Amino acid sequence: MHFQEQTVGDFKIYAGAIEAAHGGYVAAVVVKQVHGSGAPCEVFRDEAMCDGRCWTDPESALHYALTAGRSVIRDRARLENA
């Protein structure tokens, strides 16, 4: 498994590229709110993104997972500011 984390404002994105049994890598992401109101909590999780679609290399899977995590954070901010 390849792993990368990124902090975006009050959130932390944990991205993973997991080797698939039939070759390639499956993207996974967890987004946690680590600052702000209340105790840290998980706000999003997807352990088989795109229904388990495989990427040929771990970097591509990680990029997809991090992009999805940032999108979740943007969507939450829009909802909170609406």
Side-chain angles (χ1 to χ4, degrees):
M1 178 174 175
H2 298 262
F3 181 76
Q4 191 171 350
E5 64 181 66
Q6 184 176 74
T7 301
V8 178
D10 290 342
F11 298 87
K12 189 158 277 220
I13 303 169
Y14 301 93
I18 304 162
E19 288 185 51
H22 55 279
Y25 295 85
V26 176
V29 67
V30 175
V31 178
K32 288 189 175 186
Q33 185 168 2
V34 293
H35 301 291
S37 61
C41 64
E42 186 175 299
V43 297
F44 183 79
R45 175 184 293 263
D46 190 343
E47 297 175 352
M49 303 186 84
C50 293
D51 293 325
R53 174 187 184 271
C54 285
W55 282 261
T56 56
D57 58 273
E59 293 80 16
S60 296
L62 287 170
H63 175 74
Y64 184 84
L66 287 169
T67 299
R70 288 190 295 271
S71 179
V72 167
I73 294 166
R74 273 193 310 274
D75 290 348
R76 284 182 63 87
R78 263 186 250 147
L79 287 172
E80 290 174 2
N81 294 326

